[in-house]
Amino acid sequence: MNASSLPRWIDIGLLPVLNLIAALTVAGVIIAIIGENPFVAMGVMIKGAFVYDGALGYTLFYTTNFIFTGLAVAVAFHAMLFNIGGEGQAMIGGLGVGLVVLFLDSVLPPLLVVILAVPAAAAFGAVWGVIPGWLQARRGSHIVITTIMFNFIASSIMVWLLAGMLMAPGQMSPETRSFADGINLPLVYEVLQMAGFSVSRSPLNLSFVIALLACFGVWYLIWRTKLGYIIRATGHSERATIYAGHDPAKIIMLVMAISGALAGMMSLNEILGVQQRVILNFTSGYGFTGIAVALMGRNHPIGIVLASLLFGALYQGGAELDFEFQTITREMVLMIQGLIILFSGALAYLFMPAVVRIYSSLRKPTGSG
Amino acid sequence: MADKTISKARGDDSSPLAISLDNINKTFGSVRANKDVCLSVVQGTIHGIVGENGAGKSTLVSILYGFYSADSGTVAISGEPVRLRSAADAIAAGIGMVHQHFMLVPNFTVLENIILGHEVGSDLKAGARQAEASLKGITERYGLSVDLQAVVQDLPVGLQQRVEILKALYRGARILILDEPTGVLTPQETEQLFDILGTLKAQGVTILLITHKLKEIMAVTDFVSVMRSGEMVDHLQTAQTNPQQLAQMMVGRPVLLDVGYQAAQAGQAMLNAEHLTVTETSGVTSLSDVSFSVHQGEILGIAGVSGNGQSELLEVLAGIRKITSGTVQIGDRKITAEQPASPSEVKGLGLAHVPEDRHAMGLILPFTAAESAVLGYEYADMMGGRSPILSPAVMAAHCKTLMSSYDVRPAEPSLKSNLFSGGNQQKIVLARELSSQPDILLVGQPTRGVDIGAIEFIHKQLFAMRDKGCAVILVSVELDEIMSLSDRVMVMNEGKSMGIVRKADTDIQEIGLMMAGVTAASPRQQKAR
């Protein structure tokens, strides 16, 4: 018996919850060992993520990053490609945003520049995804290796440019000049305040809406279009895809372009949403965490939104934890995240045999009747 | 205590039982794979188990070999009740198993394969010497000669199977289970296997033969047990039954073992292949100078031992593999190395292809039946032509139509493809390809792993296509199938055509010789070209 013989709600609902509980239990034990009350810490984290003033906005802001990078991993995964390069693709996407804005913000009206910057993020990310795709499809270089390498290349390019020709004149830090006024995505709290709601300040911006649209887009692409059908077919059986008259090499490149574009759009949230200039390391690991998000979300957009929300809450609530407790440091919060990634990613099916056993023993009385 | 039917069949109760299964039950989810199965196998006999795919044979054998544990029931080996929780338990109880797909390390020598898992001590060489000595006794006793130093991947399939048998005997097996052992063998290798089984039996080894080929049951077994949908239908003495009766028991209704060939009037040539040659990147020539043509309203059978270029031929014609030299002409289109045709272009020329390997090519197993039923036809008119949208409702409706006209069971488009039986999977592929109304139909191994009831249906469909004027190219390793369906037969050996003969002018002996590489250059072959 395997996962496919379990009802879907167990596979995509119960198992991730069990994994989460296991991760939090282990984290709780460690927090208890260092002498804090794990339940109090948990309470602080939840309040820090959802309850305090502006907390929700911050949580959703981080969630946006995870949605983009998680979707990027998931799309590639449907073609059985492990895109580990979300980090690099996001960096290059940010570079795309930066280049478009820096070149055009003095000549075009801000709104037009923003409208052009959005596809630029996607296009630059796509290029950074499609090169490893091409190497895999036409030269047989393994996508995992090449995408990892492309993260390093992207990182070096960013340093080279930001400490070089893109560095703001008269500046000492590796970043571009600030974008012209008005070149940013609308902040949600500002929009809501304008509409008369009283909302506290947070960096949550239009990217969140774009991310949700991307979720719908990915779902529609994968499950409702012929291209999505062919992508999934390629993922399951290349031979069958060739037999059906499609070229898996083309599909691989196309999928990597889509995946890279999604990862690249993560930069919208950071660069066009809050920073309004290109800085080094704005991706700060979101690309890698996207792998865990996709795993936990079972490569389905809805699962990815939920997993992103979890990681967003951890990010934001974790910062609060760091703030409240002397003993719980930033590293401790990273460890909790690590445990969640470990249990929901690497050990995703840890509890499956037990669940299968319990499930089939519960079903037996009706099954054999 | 022993099952009454088999005692009756055996005529007496005195012979000791090698295997005795009593009321075995095994349930997977909601499927009862084995229902109160009883089986008594007399020591030193060859006992066959027949049944269609999904009848529960494999489950039963897996229980006997310790892969699964039964939900209830008892197993006794040589009269001793045993609990088989792993293959190691089974081996300890003296049970050996030869799997359908060999469990050998291809780049190890025969000797290394045999001692794998039974290395004596940490010094491999000393252990190997010891093993060699004891293997010598075994090979002499059972007449199983094989070069112990040969590398397994260099051996023909028949010898690889012999290595599997040796492996089991070396581990002290007194009961040998063979799961579909002849599926990969040539007719000659099959005969050799049966000779070996005879010798083993004479030496007191008990053999349990799992097969779906009734001819083999009749040829070698002493007793036969028939399974159907998880239950034992009957236990019989082979000498007192016949294939027709067995088939009826397996299916549960009378079946036609031979659909009945009627000669047809062939029309104009639909596909001409001239001097087709395919050289692999490894430098191996898999297809060499093959020429033939196939006409409207005829079935051209391609006979040959598996791996003699038939698969490559099908893939070349379907556009999956590139031609190295030579031409394929379909209508006005001349396909050459310089002007290759993709699978979709070939499809556009009116060709449909039922591939040999339906698991890797014909279907996508994790896809639903509805999704598998449009594989390769995503852009067909019924799916909205060039529209980028694939509507689940349209797919399901299309699949439902195919399922009802090809009697696919269960007729449930949302079921995953891998949950259908082999016969029903093949019907889905066949339905998809035939519904495109092709002018040329390529069919590879149409009934491999397909149950008897479905074979009858599939053969009828192929005749129906031929009678509608389709040009059919049929590749099969089952010579009987080639002989009962084809109008003309091309025999292949080592990538070459050994000639084309009219079915009416030939017999199985001649074809067998040609399969072995003898060109019977009789004048009538030339006529048949």
Side-chain angles (χ1 to χ4, degrees):
Chain A
M1 207 181 233
N2 50 38
S4 68
S5 57
L6 284 174
R8 267 177 76 79
W9 68 267
I10 289 188
D11 183 35
I12 63 176
L14 183 62
L15 282 175
V17 169
L18 286 177
N19 291 329
L20 184 60
I21 291 171
L24 291 178
T25 307
V26 175
V29 169
I30 294 170
I31 289 173
I33 290 172
I34 63 166
E36 298 292 348
N37 183 335
F39 297 101
V40 175
M42 185 76 184
V44 167
M45 216 155 100
I46 291 173
K47 280 186 210 152
F50 299 107
V51 181
Y52 293 150
D53 238 17
L56 185 62
Y58 272 94
T59 297
L60 292 179
F61 170 73
Y62 295 125
T63 301
T64 308
N65 287 340
F66 293 124
I67 291 178
F68 279 123
T69 55
L71 281 179
V73 175
V75 164
F77 190 81
H78 281 289
M80 260 344 149
L81 297 166
F82 290 92
N83 179 11
I84 314 291
E87 192 81 4
Q89 289 144 17
M91 283 179 206
I92 299 295
L95 178 66
V97 171
L99 290 178
V100 165
V101 177
L102 294 174
F103 278 111
L104 299 177
D105 63 354
S106 53
V107 282
L108 292 178
L111 182 64
L112 198 55
V113 175
V114 169
I115 289 173
L116 286 174
V118 174
F124 272 65
V127 168
W128 212 245
V130 92
I131 301 170
W134 181 85
L135 287 169
Q136 160 95 53
R138 301 280 188 219
R139 291 290 176 269
S141 318
H142 201 284
I143 201 98
V144 169
I145 310 294
T146 47
T147 49
I148 289 174
M149 293 307 164
F150 267 65
N151 287 335
F152 289 106
I153 299 173
S155 172
S156 307
I157 290 177
M158 293 303 276
V159 172
W160 175 61
L161 288 174
L162 292 180
M165 55 188 96
L166 289 185
M167 191 159 78
Q171 262 277 355
M172 293 304 285
S173 53
E175 54 190 47
T176 65
R177 69 169 167 83
S178 289
F179 300 162
D181 274 352
I183 300 203
N184 68 316
L185 290 172
L187 291 166
V188 168
Y189 83 93
E190 285 178 354
V191 176
L192 287 178
Q193 277 176 354
M194 259 187 278
F197 296 94
S198 133
V199 193
S200 18
R201 219 183 138 84
S202 76
L204 185 65
N205 58 72
L206 187 69
S207 307
F208 181 64
V209 179
I210 300 177
L212 292 181
L213 288 176
C215 282
F216 176 77
V218 166
W219 172 82
Y220 194 81
L221 169 75
I222 296 293
W223 282 284
R224 286 294 180 274
T225 68
K226 292 175 183 175
L227 177 62
Y229 172 91
I230 298 165
I231 289 172
R232 286 183 292 132
T234 310
H236 289 304
S237 170
E238 269 195 31
R239 268 164 62 73
T241 314
I242 298 170
Y243 159 76
H246 310 293
D247 182 358
K250 278 187 195 149
I251 299 297
I252 286 171
M253 289 190 276
L254 188 58
V255 166
M256 281 308 291
I258 297 170
S259 177
L262 286 164
M265 292 213 289
M266 190 223 99
S267 67
L268 294 178
N269 195 36
E270 290 284 342
I271 301 294
L272 217 49
V274 289
Q275 302 289 353
Q276 273 131 52
R277 70 210 144 111
V278 184
I279 58 166
L280 261 194
N281 298 329
F282 68 89
T283 52
S284 42
Y286 296 118
F288 292 117
T289 312
I291 300 165
V293 168
L295 269 170
M296 195 170 189
R298 296 289 189 275
N299 298 303
H300 191 286
I302 292 176
I304 286 168
V305 169
L306 294 176
S308 299
L309 192 60
L310 171 71
F311 278 91
L314 268 174
Y315 229 75
Q316 170 57 20
E320 202 63 41
L321 213 52
D322 179 22
F323 195 70
E324 289 269 317
F325 295 87
Q326 199 107 72
T327 42
I328 301 180
T329 58
R330 183 81 204 144
E331 283 65 39
M332 188 60 101
V333 175
L334 276 178
M335 182 212 65
I336 297 175
Q337 283 176 14
L339 282 170
I340 289 178
I341 294 175
L342 181 70
F343 276 91
S344 59
L347 303 175
Y349 290 97
L350 182 68
F351 297 107
M352 208 192 62
V355 170
V356 166
R357 247 196 326 275
I358 294 166
Y359 179 73
S360 40
S361 73
L362 287 177
R363 279 204 47 168
K364 197 169 270 171
T366 51
S368 58
Chain B
M1 168 211 112
D3 183 56
K4 287 190 183 64
T5 334
I6 193 86
S7 347
K8 196 174 65 197
R10 218 164 68 225
D12 67 85
D13 278 298
S14 60
S15 330
L17 292 178
I19 305 171
S20 157
L21 302 178
D22 200 25
N23 286 308
I24 298 285
N25 279 293
K26 179 74 190 171
T27 309
F28 296 104
S30 57
V31 180
R32 291 190 72 188
N34 279 172
K35 278 180 243 177
D36 298 325
V37 171
C38 297
L39 176 70
S40 303
V41 179
V42 181
Q43 199 177 314
T45 62
I46 302 183
H47 192 116
I49 298 183
V50 286
E52 301 201 281
N53 292 310
K57 294 172 298 186
S58 305
T59 308
L60 190 64
V61 167
S62 300
I63 289 170
L64 203 47
Y65 200 59
F67 281 149
Y68 298 141
S69 57
D71 297 339
S72 67
T74 55
V75 180
I77 302 299
S78 310
E80 295 287 314
V82 286
R83 286 207 51 160
L84 305 170
R85 271 158 301 195
S86 67
D89 286 352
I91 292 168
I95 301 173
M97 172 118 181
V98 177
H99 295 269
Q100 188 175 1
H101 304 286
F102 305 147
M103 307 282 179
L104 297 170
V105 184
N107 55 352
F108 272 21
T109 64
V110 171
L111 185 62
E112 285 168 338
N113 264 293
I114 290 173
I115 62 174
L116 183 64
H118 279 66
E119 307 89 347
V120 192
S122 56
D123 182 354
L124 192 60
K125 276 229 168 110
R129 265 196 304 277
Q130 212 177 319
E132 212 170 342
S134 61
L135 272 170
K136 205 156 174 252
I138 296 173
T139 49
E140 275 168 14
R141 186 162 157 215
Y142 298 109
L144 285 164
S145 59
V146 70
D147 176 9
L148 293 178
Q149 301 309 328
V151 175
V152 160
Q153 64 197 1
D154 301 337
L155 294 176
V157 179
L159 279 183
Q160 291 190 13
Q161 189 173 53
R162 205 176 282 186
V163 176
E164 283 280 16
I165 295 174
L166 262 180
K167 218 166 92 177
L169 295 173
Y170 177 71
R171 282 154 178 68
R174 299 294 297 156
I175 300 168
L176 207 55
I177 306 170
L178 294 116
D179 187 8
E180 301 282 358
T182 60
V184 288
L185 302 183
T186 67
Q188 286 80 1
E189 285 173 326
T190 303
E191 299 240 322
Q192 284 166 7
L193 172 70
F194 289 167
D195 287 345
I196 291 171
L197 295 187
T199 317
L200 291 172
K201 176 179 140 184
Q203 294 286 335
V205 176
T206 309
I207 292 158
L208 197 58
L209 179 69
I210 318 299
T211 184
H212 68 281
K213 293 184 187 169
L214 298 176
K215 256 168 93 179
E216 293 170 1
I217 291 289
M218 298 311 295
V220 286
T221 63
D222 301 304
F223 299 100
V224 53
S225 301
V226 185
M227 290 190 81
R228 187 175 72 228
S229 32
E231 288 177 281
M232 275 294 175
V233 182
D234 209 347
H235 307 276
L236 303 153
Q237 208 162 345
T238 310
Q240 288 168 9
T241 184
N242 57 59
Q244 194 60 50
Q245 186 192 9
L246 289 175
Q248 186 162 343
M249 282 181 174
M250 280 164 65
V251 184
R253 63 176 170 85
V255 278
L256 281 171
L257 286 178
D258 190 344
V259 179
Y261 169 83
Q262 278 175 344
Q265 193 58 50
Q268 66 184 95
M270 296 299 290
L271 182 148
N272 283 304
E274 295 285 342
H275 310 294
L276 265 188
T277 300
V278 170
T279 308
E280 310 288 321
T281 40
S282 60
V284 177
T285 302
S286 50
L287 212 56
S288 140
D289 195 21
V290 174
S291 302
F292 64 90
S293 58
V294 57
H295 304 84
Q296 240 174 7
E298 76 160 348
I299 298 182
L300 174 68
I302 314 281
V305 177
S306 177
N308 275 284
Q310 307 96 305
S311 312
E312 288 80 3
L313 178 64
L314 272 189
E315 292 190 358
V316 162
L317 297 178
I320 295 170
R321 220 175 254 265
K322 297 280 164 280
I323 300 173
T324 309
S325 68
T327 57
V328 175
Q329 180 141 17
I330 303 173
D332 297 331
R333 174 72 160 97
K334 210 171 202 153
I335 303 163
T336 60
E338 294 74 35
Q339 287 175 301
S342 68
S344 44
E345 191 199 335
V346 176
K347 198 174 284 168
L349 295 170
L351 183 139
H353 177 199
V354 177
E356 289 188 299
D357 188 344
R358 66 172 166 272
H359 288 167
M361 262 199 188
L363 298 164
I364 293 180
L365 294 178
F367 272 16
T368 64
E371 288 173 317
S372 277
V374 297
L375 184 67
Y377 295 91
E378 303 89 5
Y379 290 98
D381 289 340
M382 72 214 173
M383 289 294 130
R386 302 307 304 173
S387 150
I389 314 298
L390 196 56
S391 150
V394 174
M395 276 200 291
H398 172 65
C399 185
K400 196 90 187 167
T401 317
L402 292 182
M403 283 174 150
S404 63
S405 49
Y406 283 79
D407 190 29
V408 177
R409 287 177 217 182
E412 185 44 73
S414 64
L415 207 60
K416 288 217 162 76
S417 307
N418 59 354
L419 297 177
F420 288 86
S421 71
N424 284 305
Q425 288 177 344
Q426 188 69 318
K427 282 185 189 173
I428 295 174
V429 178
L430 211 62
R432 181 185 70 209
E433 298 302 322
L434 298 194
S435 68
S436 72
Q437 309 281 356
D439 299 326
I440 305 163
L441 178 66
L442 308 178
V443 191
Q445 318 295 353
T447 57
R448 176 145 72 189
V450 165
D451 37 75
I452 292 187
I455 290 177
E456 179 190 349
F457 181 86
I458 290 168
H459 285 177
K460 277 185 180 159
Q461 292 297 325
L462 293 179
F463 276 136
M465 283 309 284
R466 180 197 70 173
D467 294 341
K468 269 198 271 177
C470 186
V472 182
I473 297 177
L474 165 76
V475 166
S476 174
V477 289
E478 305 272 353
L479 202 45
D480 292 338
E481 182 164 55
I482 294 277
M483 293 306 280
S484 62
L485 294 179
S486 315
D487 299 295
R488 290 184 305 146
V489 181
M490 179 167 92
V491 185
M492 294 194 64
N493 178 275
E494 294 183 349
K496 294 189 193 68
S497 163
M498 303 313 291
I500 300 175
V501 286
R502 269 185 203 292
K503 203 252 293 282
D505 303 336
T506 189
D507 52 29
I508 267 202
Q509 272 73 29
E510 188 186 22
I511 303 252
L513 276 176
M514 288 163 78
M515 278 165 72
V518 182
T519 332
S522 60
R524 57 176 191 240
Q525 268 183 52
Q526 304 307 323
K527 205 171 62 195
R529 254 307 285 286

